[in-house]
C-alpha cells in the first residue's frame, strides 16, 4: 500500500523533500512507518521515536488528526492515508 508522508522544518531538511511517498505491506502502523523513516534517513534516527513512544513535543497527524488522540503508534494506516510529522517548535 502507498502512503504520503509530509515532513516539516528540520525533518524536511533531514530528508531533503517536503513530501515523500513510500510503499508498505499491509497491515502497517504509524509506529512501523516512523521506524522505517528513522532507518532510511540517518539524520532522523532518534529524532522521532523515544524508548516509550514519540519524542516530547512532536506532532504526528494522520489525515490531519493527531495520532495521540487515536491509537498512537499502534494506529493502523490504509492506502491513501497522509502522515504529517512536525518537530518541536519554540519561539516567540
Amino acid at each position: 500500500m502507498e502512503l504520503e508522508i509530509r515532513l516539516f522544518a528540520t525533518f524536511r531538511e533531514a530528508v531533503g523533500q517536503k513530501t515523500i511517498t513510500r510503499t508498505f505491506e499491509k497491515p502497517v502502523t504509524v509506529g512501523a512507518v516512523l521506524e522505517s523513516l528513522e532507518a532510511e534517513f540517518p539524520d532522523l534516527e532518534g529524532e522521532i521515536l523515544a524508548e516509550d513512544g514519540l519524542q516530547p513535543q512532536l506532532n504526528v497527524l494522520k489525515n490531519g488528526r493527531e495520532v495521540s488522540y487515536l491509537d498512537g503508534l499502534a494506529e493502523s494506516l490504509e492506502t491513501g492515508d497522509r502522515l504529517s510529522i512536525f518537530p518541536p517548535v519554540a519561539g516567540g
Side-chain angles (χ1 to χ4, degrees):
M1 71 175 209
E2 196 169 90
L3 292 174
E4 178 182 318
I5 303 165
R6 298 173 64 201
L7 302 129
F8 295 86
T10 56
F11 293 158
R12 180 185 303 167
E13 292 170 13
V15 172
Q17 300 178 68
K18 178 180 179 176
T19 303
I20 59 175
T21 302
R22 293 295 182 268
T23 301
F24 296 92
E25 294 289 322
K26 277 182 143 182
V28 68
T29 63
V30 169
V33 170
L34 297 178
E35 285 176 17
S36 75
L37 286 176
E38 284 194 344
E40 181 178 351
F41 299 101
D43 288 345
L44 293 180
E45 186 176 352
E47 297 296 315
I48 298 173
L49 296 171
E51 287 185 29
D52 60 344
L54 291 172
Q55 289 289 352
Q57 307 301 314
L58 190 79
N59 292 305
V60 178
L61 284 69
K62 172 188 170 186
N63 301 326
R65 294 191 63 206
E66 177 66 52
V67 298
S68 63
Y69 295 112
L70 302 171
D71 284 333
L73 295 179
E75 178 69 18
S76 62
L77 298 166
E78 299 294 329
T79 298
D81 281 345
R82 184 179 61 240
L83 204 60
S84 302
I85 308 166
F86 297 84
V89 179

